[in-house]
């Protein structure tokens, strides 16, 4: 039987606010355990939460970017459960009235576009974490109260590949909006998946499992692929998929059961009486919208349209806001968007990737790269020389002209000088010259190479072409 | 009259004129405590040393002319308010050793106004009770009859004022926990509008109902205390940013031309005949003072108790989840835990009392999936109707008058085995918490056997001034005999 996969994703993104959602503590990652805490986030008796307005604004940004309806009134609820990393015995989240609902994200898949619905986006506080050694467990509450948004998708995703594309799409938007650093290893961007399969064509849903503990895009895709196969195998064997929570084991490459439906939590949600409903005015929404950057999808389309670059290039160049800004600056200053794209995608990214550096810290200034492109266009240096120049620019941060001068890299554009060299080369290779004159055009390349060698690559290739042709046909 | 039997305003006068000092007052208070605390047991903990230090500092300030609203006045705090560096137990074993690293906002405000803290008063565990019998630290006795309860849950704070073991005190009122013990101990007690006084640092019982208020010997003192504790607090989201009037200005205004509502639903069967007579006398005094009494209706009154015993336990079950033995307070078999779940279960089983457990279970039940709609959600809807009843009533009258408690103080142990009987003690006070409106309980006489009785006035939200106004007018014109308990 042919099966169809149904996936819904719950993504948690940590918001990049300076302070926590209900107190003034720092959200900085990596501080000494429990140093970023106060009585409020420690949940001490008698303390009360006060909502950080920035959290609402950041969450609203994501809602607007994903075409959600922003609810004019939203409220907080308590999600009750016991765990040592949850100091109050409940997590403040949103339940009945989330901030944003009914949105969507467009993804590129199989050369086409697909829309994945977003059920809701809500704000909540993070829990702390437990550290274990051989004998003891320790609680670190630095992360407690760090603001999160949970983005819940509709069950519109039909496979592991689509899931990965959707996740990358969300990730890109969050990072573009500068509301989340997107760091999956530090847990700033994490995802749980609900997976089920059904016979193709069926409308109903199969029994789903919930997958947790996937901390990279690759993990998500692998875990989903594994889980889909596992469910297929069970169904084909006449078995039944159990509703349960399963953990992805990266080392083994398998998912295994964490808890069954029987011990699923009853969170006993109810409106948090310590927090008043958040009232969101049209003016506030407009204000948030005003500070909105161009989003990746729009940018991509504009790049294709305005710069006449291939869709693939546009995709690479808009993969981060910083890279897109960098590229645009080079394109604008050089006036050669296509060529600028090639340099940025090729050499610049290669150099950065080798050192795992971000384009924000790139020592090649856009102006320098643009200048280099102009120097090539003007014939001052050859493309081959440029490869050396760009590496030097990357290493030293110097502008191209300075490097060219220092290294004496100026192209030989003097016709007289080049003619002399060409004449010498032809004289040294009479056999090949004769072959060319007999019609063996292939030999031409040999001569170009020889001239380049004789000039240590400094000759202008176009000039070589012209002069060689002229001299050889004499 | 002894210094410890005096009102705040009388003491302020004596302090200002140099007739006495804060140190003398504080000493008088501690002398009284030494004499009667052994039988009354109003306090969980005393702050003897720091109180004398504070009194000395107050006297220094007085000599320099730096007198604030409560400079040098000994005040007691219900042990539900967090006090920086001083043990705060909430009447529970689970917090028997808890020392908060911060002050509640009301404590901070009292400190800033120069008050001297006498100690932390006894209370029903986590404020759950109407008799102060559920405290882990033992029961408090009613100073008027040591065989009887002082009311609850702020029984310690009420008894401390009634027994002259402090000049004024603070309590908290979730369903009547200030007004009912005030009535049963013969003192003035006010529950302000929800949002009027910051709850920051008040150990939560039911967050949407809890409110902090004063116990005092007379209405003027109540106004003085309210001036100190009322006001917006940025540390609390439900705190309301509206201006606080000077409540003393309402003391002498009288109630000429006022309409006073008498809700017919509050005069039910089971109400003690002496209570009834006292309230009828109150109505007479109001009319003699220029008020016109009319019958009004609060049609959803019969649901108040049911709604309260869904909403309050629901919130309590969540608020009390943090007491799990992980971070502070009592932990069963400390350091010797088999597994996490066992530690949770043992800790909570061994350190919560029966009433707290009852409410946690009730609250957990009404919030659990499948029951939420039938209980919590429905209760919330009825609560809105109860509030609307009051909105409608206050279109017809300025204030409402009701008994504060259906009976005088009952005997210790009389109702402890029958929670429903106990819950009925708050029947006249609960509605104000559900509606968020303010209420005041004022002494209105004594039973033939000499037990104090109280009458309750209710007003619209943020109209505490009106309550002070009618309470002061009543106090002046009723001329209730000023007796002292025979201790
Ligand atoms: Zn904090």
């Amino acid at each position: 039987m042919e099966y169809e996969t149904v996936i819904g994703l719950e993504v948690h993104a940590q918001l990049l606010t300076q302070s926590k959602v209900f107190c003034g503590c720092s959200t900085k990652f990596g501080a000494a355990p429990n140093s970023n805490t106060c009585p409020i986030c420690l949940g001490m008796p008698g303390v009360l939460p006060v909502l950080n307005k920035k959290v609402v604004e950041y969450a609203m940004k994501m809602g607007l970017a994903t075409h959600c309806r922003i609810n004019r009134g939203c409220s907080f609820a308590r999600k009750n459960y016991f765990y040592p990393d949850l100091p109050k015995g409940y997590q403040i989240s949103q339940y009945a009235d989330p901030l944003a609902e009914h949105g969507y994200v467009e993804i590129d898949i199989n050369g086409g576009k697909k829309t994945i619905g977003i059920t809701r986006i809500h704000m909540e506080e993070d829990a702390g974490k437990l550290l274990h050694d051989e004998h003891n467990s320790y609680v670190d509450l630095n992360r407690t109260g760090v603001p999160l948004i949970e983005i819940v998708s509709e069950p519109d995703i039909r496979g592991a590949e689509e899931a990965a594309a959707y996740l990358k799409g969300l990730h890109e938007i969050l990072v573009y909006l500068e509301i989340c650093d997107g760091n999956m290893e530090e847990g700033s961007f994490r995802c749980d998946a609900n997976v089920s399969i059904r016979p193709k064509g069926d409308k109903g849903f199969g029994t789903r499992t919930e997958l947790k503990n996937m901390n990279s895009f690759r993990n998500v895709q692998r875990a989903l692929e594994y889980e889909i196969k596992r469910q297929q195998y069970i169904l084909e064997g006449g078995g039944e998929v159990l509703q349960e929570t399963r953990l992805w084991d990266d080392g083994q490459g398998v998912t295994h059961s964490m808890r069954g439906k029987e011990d699923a939590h009853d969170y006993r949600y109810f409106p948090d009486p310590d927090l008043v409903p958040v009232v969101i005015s049209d003016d506030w929404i407009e204000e948030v919208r005003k500070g909105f950057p161009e989003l990746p999808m729009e940018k991509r389309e504009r790049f294709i349209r305005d710069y006449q670059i291939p869709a693939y290039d546009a995709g690479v160049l808009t993969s981060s806001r910083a890279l897109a800004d960098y590229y645009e600056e080079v394109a604008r200053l050089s006036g050669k968007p296509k060529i600028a794209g090639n340099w940025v995608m090729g050499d610049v990214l290669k150099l950065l990737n080798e050192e795992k550096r971000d384009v924000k810290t790139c020592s090649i200034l856009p102006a320098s790269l643009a200048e280099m492109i102009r120097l090539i266009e003007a014939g001052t240096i050859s493309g081959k020389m440029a490869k050396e120049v760009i590496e030097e620019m990357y290493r030293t941060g110097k502008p191209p002209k300075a490097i060219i001068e220092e290294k004496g890299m100026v192209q030989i554009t003097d016709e007289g000088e080049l003619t002399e060299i060409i004449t010498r080369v032809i004289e040294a290779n009479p056999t090949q010259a004769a072959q060319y004159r007999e019609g063996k055009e292939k030999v031409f390349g040999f001569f170009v190479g020889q001239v380049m060698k004789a000039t240590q690559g400094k000759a202008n290739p176009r000039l070589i072409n012209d002069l060689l042709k002229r001299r050889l046909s004499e | 009259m002894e210094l410890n039997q005096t009102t705040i305003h009388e003491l302020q006068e004596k302090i200002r004129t140099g007739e006495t000092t804060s140190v003398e007052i504080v000493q008088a208070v501690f002398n009284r405590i030494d004499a009667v605390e052994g039988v009354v047991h109003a306090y969980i903990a005393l702050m003897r040393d720091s109180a004398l230090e504070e009194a000395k500092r107050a006297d220094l300030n007085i000599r320099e002319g730096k007198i604030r609203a409560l400079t040098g006045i000994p005040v007691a705090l219900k042990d539900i308010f967090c006090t920086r560096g001083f043990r705060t137990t909430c009447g529970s074993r689970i917090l028997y050793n808890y020392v908060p690293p911060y002050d509640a906002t009301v404590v901070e405000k009292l400190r800033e106004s120069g008050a001297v803290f006498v100690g932390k008063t006894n209370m029903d565990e986590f404020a759950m009770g109407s008799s102060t019998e559920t405290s882990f630290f033992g029961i408090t006795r009613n100073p008027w009859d040591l065989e009887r309860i002082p009311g609850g849950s702020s029984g310690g704070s009420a008894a401390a004022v009634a027994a002259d073991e402090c000049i004024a005190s603070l309590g908290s009122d979730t369903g009547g926990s200030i007004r009912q013990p005030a009535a049963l101990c013969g003192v003035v007690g006010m529950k302000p509008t929800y949002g009027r006084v910051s709850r920051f640092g008040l150990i939560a019982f039911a967050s949407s109902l809890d409110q902090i208020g004063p116990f005092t010997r007379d209405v003027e003192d109540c106004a003085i205390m309210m001036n100190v504790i009322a006001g917006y607090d940025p540390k609390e989201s439900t705190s309301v940013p509206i201006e606080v009037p000077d409540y003393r200005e309402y003391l002498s205004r009288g109630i000429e031309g006022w309409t006073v509502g008498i809700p017919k639903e509050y005069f039910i069967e089971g109400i003690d005949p002496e209570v009834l007579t006292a309230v009828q006398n109150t109505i007479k005094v109001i009319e003699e003072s220029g008020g016109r009494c009319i019958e009004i209706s609060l049609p959803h009154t019969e649901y108040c108790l049911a709604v309260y015993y869904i909403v309050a336990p629901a919130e309590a079950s969540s608020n009390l989840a943090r007491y799990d033995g992980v971070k502070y307070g009592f932990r069963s078999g400390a350091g010797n835990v088999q597994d996490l779940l066992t530690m949770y279960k043992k800790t909570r089983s061994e350190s919560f009392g029966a009433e707290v457990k009852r409410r946690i279970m009730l609250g957990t039940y009404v919030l659990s999936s499948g029951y939420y709609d039938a209980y919590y959600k429905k209760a919330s809807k009825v609560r809105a109707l109860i509030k609307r009843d009051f909105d409608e009533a206050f279109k017809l009258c300025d204030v409402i008058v009701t008994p504060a408690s259906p009976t005088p103080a009952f005997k210790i142990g009389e109702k402890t085995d029958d929670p429903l009987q106990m819950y009925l003690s708050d029947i006249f006070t609960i509605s104000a918490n559900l509606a968020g409106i303010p209420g005041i309980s004022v002494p209105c006489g004594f039973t033939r056997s000499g037990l104090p009785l109280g009458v309750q006035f209710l007003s619209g939200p943020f109209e505490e001034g009106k309550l002070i106004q009618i309470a002061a007018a009543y106090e002046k014109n009723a001329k209730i005999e000023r007796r002292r308990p025979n201790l």
Side-chain angles (χ1 to χ4, degrees):
Chain A
M1 196 184 305
E2 210 182 330
Y3 288 99
E4 181 179 46
T5 306
V6 178
I7 299 171
L9 291 177
E10 288 165 18
V11 171
H12 281 94
Q14 179 183 328
L15 299 179
L16 272 176
T17 53
Q18 299 286 306
S19 55
K20 294 185 178 180
V21 52
F22 298 119
C23 67
C25 290
S26 166
T27 53
K28 248 206 165 84
F29 182 85
N34 296 307
S35 58
N36 291 342
T37 58
C38 71
I40 296 169
C41 53
L42 294 175
M44 289 202 166
V47 296
L48 295 169
V50 174
L51 178 62
N52 178 351
K53 204 176 149 198
K54 264 266 137 55
V55 171
V56 185
E57 288 177 2
Y58 281 15
M60 232 196 286
K61 277 191 178 174
M62 191 56 183
L64 291 170
T66 52
H67 315 279
C68 283
R69 180 185 83 200
I70 305 292
N71 291 323
R72 295 309 193 265
C74 69
S75 61
F76 286 95
R78 292 185 184 177
K79 180 180 180 179
N80 294 282
Y81 65 95
F82 286 98
Y83 205 64
D85 72 358
L86 192 69
K88 297 189 292 294
Y90 59 83
Q91 179 190 20
I92 305 178
S93 180
Q94 293 196 287
Y95 189 61
D97 315 298
L99 176 77
E101 286 176 286
H102 311 304
Y104 64 89
V105 172
E106 260 191 355
I107 58 168
D108 291 317
I109 194 89
N110 301 328
K113 285 200 190 310
K114 182 174 174 178
T115 299
I116 308 292
I118 287 179
T119 315
R120 55 189 271 147
I121 298 178
H122 67 248
M123 303 173 273
E124 62 184 31
E125 58 176 352
D126 207 346
K129 68 174 182 195
L130 295 186
L131 308 160
H132 305 279
D133 68 18
E134 215 178 310
H135 305 289
N136 295 300
S137 294
Y138 305 90
V139 189
D140 178 4
L141 298 178
N142 276 346
R143 217 171 62 191
T144 308
V146 161
L148 302 178
I149 48 174
E150 183 174 339
I151 307 160
V152 182
S153 85
E154 294 285 319
D156 290 345
I157 299 160
R158 289 290 166 269
E161 205 189 330
E162 278 187 29
Y166 165 77
L167 276 182
K168 279 182 188 145
L170 283 189
H171 187 267
E172 221 172 53
I173 296 171
L174 285 162
V175 174
Y176 255 72
L177 292 170
E178 293 177 331
I179 58 173
C180 173
D181 67 17
N183 191 326
M184 286 181 97
E185 280 147 39
E186 289 174 9
S188 317
F189 183 87
R190 45 193 201 256
C191 142
D192 300 335
N194 288 306
V195 192
S196 66
I197 60 172
R198 64 185 173 196
K200 206 168 176 123
D202 268 19
K203 284 275 166 277
F205 294 111
T207 307
R208 65 188 164 85
T209 56
E210 191 186 4
L211 291 191
K212 286 182 179 290
N213 202 33
M214 305 167 289
N215 58 4
S216 72
F217 291 120
R218 204 175 87 89
N219 268 187
V220 173
Q221 195 160 342
R222 282 176 69 205
L224 286 170
E225 276 162 5
Y226 175 86
E227 183 59 20
I228 294 162
K229 280 211 192 88
R230 191 188 71 88
Q231 293 191 8
Q232 265 177 26
Y233 181 77
I234 291 172
L235 292 185
E236 275 160 7
E240 224 177 293
V241 175
L242 296 176
Q243 187 178 332
E244 61 184 353
T245 302
R246 299 182 68 83
L247 285 183
W248 168 248
D249 182 331
D250 191 30
Q252 307 268 322
V254 297
T255 65
H256 51 74
S257 183
M258 175 191 167
R259 61 164 182 258
K261 191 190 178 187
E262 310 79 61
D263 41 44
H265 270 115
D266 177 359
Y267 290 116
R268 305 191 313 280
Y269 282 100
F270 76 106
D272 191 326
D274 286 330
L275 287 158
V276 291
V278 186
V279 178
I280 295 167
S281 65
D282 291 349
D283 286 352
W284 197 9
I285 295 177
E286 270 322 297
E287 209 176 292
V288 169
R289 210 194 284 275
K290 242 186 260 162
F292 235 65
E294 184 179 33
L295 293 172
M297 202 60 103
E298 297 161 29
K299 209 181 265 288
R300 215 160 287 155
E301 276 155 20
R302 181 170 61 82
F303 278 17
I304 295 168
R305 193 177 60 237
D306 292 0
Y307 299 133
Q308 306 272 311
I309 56 174
Y312 175 81
D313 293 13
V316 174
L317 291 170
T318 56
S319 62
S320 88
R321 199 166 145 186
L323 184 64
D325 289 348
Y326 184 90
Y327 162 70
E328 280 209 90
E329 187 73 356
V330 180
R332 188 176 65 80
L333 293 172
S334 66
K336 299 280 175 197
K338 176 76 183 93
I339 295 167
N342 290 342
W343 282 107
V344 172
M345 281 166 50
D347 296 65
V348 174
L349 279 188
K350 191 187 112 230
L351 289 165
L352 288 171
N353 287 343
E354 273 168 9
E355 290 184 18
K356 290 205 159 63
R357 273 172 69 180
D358 190 87
V359 71
K360 281 182 203 160
T361 66
C362 183
S363 41
I364 307 171
L365 297 177
S368 300
L369 187 55
E371 192 190 324
M372 194 194 83
I373 292 169
R374 281 200 310 274
L375 289 171
I376 300 167
E377 288 299 304
T380 313
I381 53 170
S382 66
K384 200 172 167 206
M385 289 157 87
K387 298 255 175 207
E388 206 183 323
V389 172
I390 203 167
E391 268 180 49
E392 195 63 14
M393 278 159 65
Y394 182 79
R395 220 169 45 74
T396 62
K398 286 181 183 164
K401 270 196 180 136
I403 294 166
I404 291 164
E405 255 166 51
E406 263 171 37
K407 301 214 158 195
M409 284 175 102
V410 181
Q411 246 185 161
I412 302 167
T413 45
D414 184 321
E415 267 191 49
E417 192 187 343
L418 206 55
T419 310
E420 243 173 65
I421 294 166
I422 286 173
T423 311
R424 252 191 284 126
V425 168
I426 293 174
E427 277 168 5
N429 299 286
T431 328
Q432 285 82 352
Q435 282 172 347
Y436 180 80
R437 286 179 186 125
E438 279 158 19
K440 259 197 169 177
E441 301 238 341
K442 271 188 188 165
V443 190
F444 189 74
F446 164 78
F447 279 106
V448 175
Q450 289 300 308
V451 177
M452 273 295 182
K453 201 174 164 189
T455 59
Q456 289 159 320
K458 286 182 189 176
N460 180 326
R462 220 175 323 125
L463 209 53
I464 298 179
N465 265 357
D466 291 352
L467 295 177
L468 250 183
K469 268 194 189 132
R470 215 183 300 154
R471 291 290 292 152
L472 280 171
S473 17
E474 270 168 11
Chain B
M1 196 181 288
E2 302 288 333
L3 287 171
N4 59 305
Q5 299 173 349
T6 316
T7 60
I8 299 173
H9 54 99
E10 285 162 339
L11 288 173
Q12 280 173 332
E13 187 58 21
K14 287 181 200 289
I15 285 173
R16 206 178 50 77
T17 57
E19 194 186 322
T20 189
T21 63
S22 178
V23 169
E24 280 176 344
I25 300 166
V26 170
Q27 268 161 354
V29 163
F30 278 103
N31 288 343
R32 175 68 172 174
I33 288 171
D34 290 338
V36 303
E37 180 59 8
V39 290
V40 177
H41 190 40
Y43 289 94
I44 288 176
L46 292 167
M47 299 164 141
R48 205 181 286 263
D49 296 342
S50 59
L52 271 170
E53 283 305 308
E54 286 164 21
K56 280 180 200 161
R57 215 175 307 132
D59 286 332
L60 214 67
N61 285 332
I62 292 160
R63 253 173 280 146
E64 288 168 4
K66 287 187 264 180
I67 304 182
R68 284 163 291 170
L70 293 172
T71 298
I73 306 292
V75 173
L77 300 168
K78 186 176 182 178
D79 205 22
I80 199 168
F81 302 113
C82 289
T83 40
R84 185 203 307 255
F86 195 88
R87 197 162 65 110
T88 301
T89 70
C90 220
S92 182
R93 184 183 193 192
I94 205 154
L95 285 176
Y96 76 107
N97 63 357
Y98 178 64
V99 178
Y102 61 95
D103 275 336
T105 297
V106 286
V107 172
E108 216 168 70
K109 286 189 169 214
L110 287 174
R111 247 189 236 290
E112 279 165 14
S113 69
V116 172
F117 295 128
V118 179
K120 307 294 288 288
T121 61
N122 201 11
M123 58 183 285
D124 279 308
E125 185 181 3
F126 282 103
M128 295 175 193
S130 308
S131 64
T132 314
E133 289 169 290
T134 70
S135 169
F136 174 68
F137 301 92
I139 57 171
T140 296
R141 291 164 187 275
N142 191 315
W144 296 90
D145 178 349
L146 296 174
E147 298 298 302
R148 293 176 187 270
I149 56 96
S153 63
S154 313
S157 286
V161 176
D164 303 321
E165 294 183 81
C166 66
I167 308 302
S169 64
L170 281 191
S172 68
D173 187 317
T174 307
S177 289
I178 290 174
R179 290 159 290 155
Q180 183 252 18
L184 304 192
C185 287
V187 297
V188 174
M190 178 185 257
K191 179 202 97 78
T193 311
Y194 186 76
R196 181 49 113 182
V197 177
S198 170
R199 294 182 292 114
F200 188 89
L202 164 76
I203 297 181
F205 160 15
S207 312
S208 76
L209 301 160
D210 297 341
Q211 185 60 195
I212 298 164
F215 288 96
T216 55
R217 297 200 204 295
D218 66 6
V219 179
E220 182 166 354
D221 278 7
C222 178
I224 293 169
M225 290 290 280
M226 279 298 295
N227 278 349
V228 171
I229 62 171
Y232 172 68
D233 181 4
K235 286 195 288 210
E236 201 221 313
S237 306
T238 59
S239 162
V240 180
I242 59 172
E243 213 185 316
V244 181
D246 180 353
Y247 291 112
R248 289 181 93 157
E249 285 178 2
Y250 293 83
L251 290 166
S252 54
R253 286 185 183 173
I255 55 161
E256 195 69 48
W258 277 27
T259 307
V260 177
I262 299 155
K264 60 178 185 207
E265 291 83 1
Y266 278 57
F267 293 86
I268 48 165
E269 241 176 275
I271 188 166
D272 186 281
E274 288 190 279
V275 169
L276 204 57
T277 311
V279 176
Q280 276 155 357
N281 288 335
T282 302
I283 293 168
K284 250 181 256 159
V285 174
I286 288 168
E287 283 176 336
E288 284 159 17
S289 312
R292 185 171 65 92
C293 292
I294 59 162
E295 187 184 84
I296 57 157
S297 173
L298 297 167
H300 293 92
T301 300
E302 61 172 308
Y303 304 111
C304 285
L305 210 60
V307 168
Y308 179 84
Y309 279 98
I310 289 168
V311 173
E315 292 182 9
S317 70
S318 172
N319 283 333
L320 269 57
R322 73 191 63 195
Y323 309 109
D324 56 6
V326 172
K327 303 168 292 293
Y328 44 74
F330 175 85
R331 179 191 289 181
S332 175
N336 220 342
V337 180
Q338 297 300 310
D339 65 88
L340 193 57
L341 196 62
T342 310
M343 194 278 279
Y344 283 154
K345 282 182 175 169
K346 286 189 141 188
T347 295
R348 289 169 69 85
S349 301
E350 290 168 23
S351 60
F352 283 140
E355 185 58 29
V356 171
K357 283 179 191 161
R358 186 177 295 127
R359 299 206 196 185
I360 289 174
M361 285 192 284
L362 199 59
T364 304
Y365 179 77
V366 300
L367 287 177
S368 48
S369 69
Y371 298 100
Y372 178 87
D373 285 355
Y375 294 107
Y376 187 84
K377 202 170 171 191
K378 180 155 280 171
S380 302
K381 283 182 182 162
V382 180
R383 185 176 177 184
L385 295 176
I386 291 164
K387 190 176 180 312
R388 209 172 61 190
D389 281 358
F390 280 103
D391 293 342
E392 292 301 316
F394 289 121
K395 287 178 187 163
L396 304 174
C397 59
D398 293 283
V399 294
I400 291 171
V401 59
T402 82
S405 159
T407 63
F410 47 88
K411 289 251 170 74
I412 289 166
E414 194 181 320
K415 297 185 180 178
T416 38
D417 295 334
D418 188 348
L420 283 179
Q421 272 303 308
M422 185 73 89
Y423 295 168
L424 284 170
S425 309
D426 292 333
I427 188 133
F428 297 132
T429 45
I430 275 172
S431 57
N433 300 78
L434 292 172
I437 60 169
I440 192 169
S441 173
V442 186
C444 68
F446 295 87
T447 64
R448 275 185 301 275
S449 60
L451 292 173
L453 294 170
V455 63
Q456 173 179 237
F457 298 111
L458 302 171
S459 75
F462 301 101
E463 291 183 341
E464 289 83 359
K466 271 186 158 178
L467 292 182
I468 303 251
Q469 199 169 337
I470 190 166
Y474 170 73
E475 183 183 59
K476 187 173 151 220
N477 296 333
K479 297 195 178 64
I480 303 292
E481 190 189 344
R482 216 167 160 182
R483 297 187 203 166
R484 311 222 83 86
N486 201 0
L487 276 171

